[in-house]
Amino acid sequence: MRAGRLGVGIIGAGRVGPVLGAALANAEHAVVGITAVSEAGRDRAEAMLPGAPVLGTPELVERSELVLLAVPDDQLPSLVQGLADAGIWQPGQLVVHTSPDHGVDVLAPAMRAGAIPLAIHPAMAFTGTSVDLARLRDAYCAVTAPSPVLPIAQALVVEMGAEPFVVAERDRPAYADGVRAAVSFSTAIIDQSVGALAGIGVEHPGRVLGALVRSAVDNALTAADGQSTL
């Protein structure tokens, strides 16, 4: 490996963890392992990170220089605290979580053990497949970290192919509300439109609406950034 490359351990084999692990592997970091409980998670890990060992959480953390916590938002606080109670966090270890809701305060138990806290949330909807690696190159990631280590979070995002932007600790709840609203409203509206077209016998309504939805969203996003769509 090149100098400065890290041994990365991934906790969580949902749609996000294996993809970000693969993105870091593409940047020549070494994936030392991943946790996976379900068969679907193991299959996803094998597809995205072939050859990466499936490890228990304590062993994975002990082996890793960078620990990526890609778990559901409501599981994050207890996971971080439980590993602290067990004395598993290590001084100088990078700990990154992917929750939109939290900044670095949730990582306080790891910080007290000497770990370096980083919050990185990619603002995109994941499929858990290699398609996401291409989409990540057009994505932005919200980063929150103490000022001295903020450049580390930003550098990791750039290495994964995305664009970092800083969200202050106090603004993470508002950020989470914004990204969740975008996902939930778009999904609901498309479901409603697809249902209406299917109800009148249109075949493949998703394909029919594809160009319309993409162009409408592109126009709305362009207008949101203060640019003319004319």
Side-chain angles (χ1 to χ4, degrees):
M1 293 190 301
R2 292 193 289 119
R5 300 301 87 186
L6 299 167
V8 178
I10 303 154
I11 298 180
R15 294 182 177 183
V16 177
V19 172
L20 297 188
L24 290 169
N26 288 344
E28 299 186 28
H29 294 286
V31 176
V32 301
I34 185 169
T35 67
V37 177
S38 69
E39 183 177 347
R42 289 175 179 269
D43 290 344
R44 192 179 295 112
E46 178 59 29
M48 295 301 300
L49 301 166
V54 175
L55 302 174
T57 298
E59 181 183 4
L60 181 139
V61 174
E62 289 171 354
R63 290 187 182 190
S64 303
E65 297 165 292
L66 185 158
V67 180
L68 181 66
L69 305 177
V71 299
D73 304 302
D74 58 353
Q75 295 179 18
L76 182 61
S78 60
L79 172 62
V80 176
Q81 185 64 60
L83 290 170
D85 292 342
I88 294 173
W89 295 121
Q90 303 170 54
Q93 188 173 49
L94 295 171
V95 182
V96 181
H97 78 71
T98 61
S99 166
D101 296 89
H102 300 283
V104 294
D105 282 353
V106 72
L107 299 175
M111 293 168 60
R112 287 192 287 271
I116 299 169
L118 309 173
I120 298 175
H121 176 257
M124 59 176 275
F126 282 77
T127 65
T129 69
S130 58
V131 169
D132 295 331
L133 293 173
R135 291 177 176 174
L136 195 58
R137 292 195 287 270
D138 294 322
Y140 285 75
C141 292
V143 297
T144 305
S147 296
V149 295
L150 184 59
I152 298 176
Q154 294 168 315
L156 288 171
V157 170
V158 171
E159 286 189 324
M160 290 188 290
E163 182 76 20
F165 67 101
V166 178
V167 175
E169 181 80 24
R170 65 181 178 276
D171 294 329
R172 291 292 289 210
Y175 165 76
D177 287 345
V179 294
R180 283 208 174 94
V183 172
S184 60
F185 281 125
S186 358
T187 301
I189 289 169
I190 290 172
D191 286 347
Q192 180 180 353
S193 299
V194 166
L197 295 187
I200 60 172
V202 175
E203 293 186 6
H204 310 299
R207 297 180 194 173
V208 171
L209 291 170
L212 172 65
V213 170
R214 293 187 189 98
S215 59
V217 169
D218 284 345
N219 289 346
L221 293 175
T222 299
D225 285 338
Q227 303 175 37
S228 172
T229 58
L230 298 178

